[in-house]
Amino acid sequence: MNRFLLLSALLATMPAQANDACQETPSSPTTFPPDSLISPADWLSPGKHQIGLTHALRFVPATQVSPPLGEPRPFPLGPPGMDVDQLEATDPADGRQRSLRFLLETRINAEGVVVLRQGKQVLDYRRTGFDPTQARLLLDASRPILATMLARAAGDGRISREKALNRVISEFSPVRELSKVSVQRVFSGRSGLQWSRDDLERWEKEARGQSTGRSGIRAWLNKRGNWPRAQTRPAPDLQNPSAELLLWLNEKAWQRRPPQLLCELQQSIKARHPAYWTQDAKGNYVADGLGLSLEDFARFGQSLIDTRQRRAARPLAPAWFMESISTPSDSLDIQPPELAGLKGKSTWQYYFTQPGDRGRQAAIIGSYGTSLYLDFDKNIVVAVFASNAAKHSALLSAALDSLWQTSRKISVENERR
């Protein structure tokens, strides 16, 4: 009897496994007729990417993850102050002051924007037809989230950042070149690995389910003949297959499948809406395949701020990581093109950008204008889902920067009232 009581007490104090609280639902792509204007062969091509990003589950297989119901509440409403028609922002195209709506619709092509100040919602902009509760494909904006997950694993002692990549991912143990690439290099986005144009095209086809060989990303990486590395300052791993290694490291560290990792993330940020993780034709989960709703994307940002301010019930990452992503770096690495257009000297750490010398700030700058801005000093979050014609451009980055600074300006003005 005493043993039974002791076992019951131990079970009661053990944390519930993340996948026990979430519901996973496999999702299969839609079958399209041959004369479809958009199909799995071109769903992210220029001019069609808006539909592709919004309805990715029609084109590739995925696992949908529904968070626990009943606990999270909507963001409380903050004081008014951000009217997109009355508020002016600097148009980076010519430096003139125009309405914030003009900036959002013309320069960014934003579909939805959520601005939080002190955890309260002060702007909820939606283009006609946009649903902020629907999960949307984040593409490369998934990478800072993966880095945050791995930072937490490293903080918990689940993985050593000093180990060689081929010692952690046993499938790569025969690859000698990877013995010179540490977990830290992949984790920080500075692996130095070189990828040819053919590599990039093959990776994109595999990740988007468009490969005719249907070997899958993992099989393709395993068959890679050699793994050359740059001999000079490394270029950032922001637009290449190195992110697949980052996802793989998370799976090894946590000993969980990506949907289970997603469930843990949903619980940590108190997500309210279903999310998903896309897969390739062989069922491998894709690094740039995370889909979140705009509201939960903003919740991720607010949770990072709460973590740094030590107010989070479930911290997302250790203190050293939070300090790294919020503090400008003195690195001399080659600057990624995503930083072009930002005012001041901008740097990047762990796939996060530190936009200029303006205090403790960080930003996720994804493709087509999708982005997440954090001001840790002012407690501001700006979450954007967009479908700009350009994947990345100096004008787009400058327009995002103008949106961020307008949000900060309103915050300061409200503090003085």
Side-chain angles (χ1 to χ4, degrees):
M1 184 65 179
N2 289 337
R3 289 181 179 178
F4 175 77
L5 292 175
L6 178 60
L7 179 60
S8 299
L10 288 173
L11 291 175
T13 57
M14 288 177 63
Q17 293 294 321
N19 57 323
D20 291 340
C22 297
Q23 180 179 355
E24 295 184 18
T25 306
S27 172
S28 299
T30 302
T31 301
F32 291 83
D35 57 348
S36 295
L37 295 179
I38 180 171
S39 71
D42 61 359
W43 62 286
L44 283 179
S45 61
K48 301 179 181 180
H49 62 279
Q50 180 179 5
I51 296 176
L53 293 171
T54 305
H55 303 287
L57 299 187
R58 296 184 183 180
F59 306 101
V60 288
T63 298
Q64 293 181 275
V65 181
S66 298
L69 300 177
E71 180 182 344
R73 298 179 179 179
F75 293 120
L77 297 180
M82 293 199 71
D83 185 316
V84 295
D85 293 306
Q86 299 297 323
L87 194 61
E88 289 189 337
T90 302
D91 180 359
D94 57 13
R96 296 177 60 183
Q97 294 295 303
R98 291 187 169 89
S99 71
L100 183 58
R101 181 182 295 277
F102 176 88
L103 186 77
L104 296 178
E105 295 182 354
T106 305
R107 301 299 180 223
I108 299 175
N109 197 18
E111 296 180 55
V113 181
V114 168
V115 178
L116 307 177
R117 189 164 58 240
Q118 303 295 334
K120 297 180 179 180
Q121 185 171 287
V122 295
L123 177 63
D124 179 13
Y125 167 85
R126 308 179 192 182
R127 178 172 288 179
T128 302
F130 175 77
D131 183 359
T133 70
Q134 179 182 354
R136 175 187 167 101
L137 186 62
L138 297 181
L139 290 181
D140 46 331
S142 306
R143 301 182 183 204
I145 299 177
L146 287 172
T148 303
M149 291 178 178
L150 196 60
R152 186 172 179 179
D156 291 348
R158 296 175 180 270
I159 190 171
S160 170
R161 292 185 286 155
E162 287 72 34
K163 275 192 175 182
L165 187 65
N166 63 353
R167 291 184 59 193
V168 178
I169 302 178
S170 58
E171 289 83 349
F172 290 135
S173 56
V175 184
R176 293 184 178 181
E177 295 99 325
L178 296 185
S179 64
K180 300 178 181 179
V181 180
S182 65
V183 170
Q184 174 64 26
R185 284 189 175 275
V186 176
F187 175 35
S188 64
R190 293 174 168 86
S191 69
L193 294 171
Q194 293 181 309
W195 306 91
S196 68
R197 184 181 297 274
D198 289 341
D199 289 335
L200 297 176
E201 291 178 356
R202 178 65 182 274
W203 161 60
E204 288 192 354
K205 287 182 179 180
E206 294 288 358
R208 297 175 182 178
Q210 299 169 347
S211 174
T212 55
R214 296 187 177 276
S215 61
I217 290 179
R218 299 288 169 91
W220 169 65
L221 288 173
N222 279 329
K223 293 178 181 177
R224 195 176 190 221
N226 56 24
W227 293 76
R229 296 183 63 235
Q231 300 300 317
T232 57
R233 292 183 297 170
D237 296 334
L238 298 183
Q239 296 289 328
N240 64 44
S242 297
E244 305 301 338
L245 304 176
L246 185 62
L247 176 59
W248 212 335
L249 287 172
N250 266 291
E251 293 179 45
K252 294 292 186 180
W254 290 101
Q255 292 296 299
R256 294 178 186 172
R257 298 161 41 251
Q260 295 171 316
L261 297 176
L262 176 53
C263 179
E264 172 65 25
L265 175 70
Q266 288 174 309
Q267 290 182 300
S268 296
I269 67 175
K270 297 183 179 180
R272 298 183 68 231
H273 309 295
Y276 61 79
W277 217 308
T278 66
Q279 297 163 268
D280 64 17
K282 285 294 185 180
N284 303 302
Y285 289 95
V286 179
D288 289 355
L290 178 59
L292 293 178
S293 70
L294 178 61
E295 180 182 328
D296 289 338
F297 194 36
R299 284 180 182 274
F300 173 73
Q302 186 62 52
S303 296
L304 284 174
I305 290 180
D306 292 343
T307 292
R308 194 182 188 285
Q309 296 179 348
R310 300 184 180 180
R311 297 188 307 183
R314 303 182 69 169
L316 288 185
W320 57 263
F321 179 79
M322 299 307 305
E323 189 64 25
S324 294
I325 67 170
S326 61
T327 305
S329 168
D330 57 359
S331 172
L332 297 178
D333 290 349
I334 299 173
Q335 293 300 302
E338 289 81 352
L339 302 191
L342 300 181
K343 291 183 178 180
K345 180 187 176 184
S346 297
T347 59
W348 64 284
Q349 291 282 346
Y350 298 106
Y351 299 91
F352 287 84
T353 295
Q354 294 79 43
D357 304 322
R358 308 167 189 153
R360 295 178 176 87
Q361 301 176 58
I364 296 174
I365 302 179
S367 295
Y368 306 111
T370 291
S371 54
L372 183 69
Y373 168 78
L374 312 173
D375 188 321
F376 294 95
D377 296 329
K378 300 295 183 183
N379 199 336
I380 297 173
V381 175
V382 182
V384 179
F385 278 179
S387 300
N388 196 277
K391 196 169 186 179
H392 295 283
S393 73
L395 180 61
L396 175 57
S397 295
L400 291 172
D401 190 83
S402 181
L403 169 62
W404 303 338
Q405 298 319 308
T406 300
S407 302
R408 294 182 80 242
K409 177 183 176 182
I410 296 300
S411 177
V412 172
E413 291 177 354
N414 285 345
E415 289 176 357
R416 293 173 178 172
R417 292 175 184 173

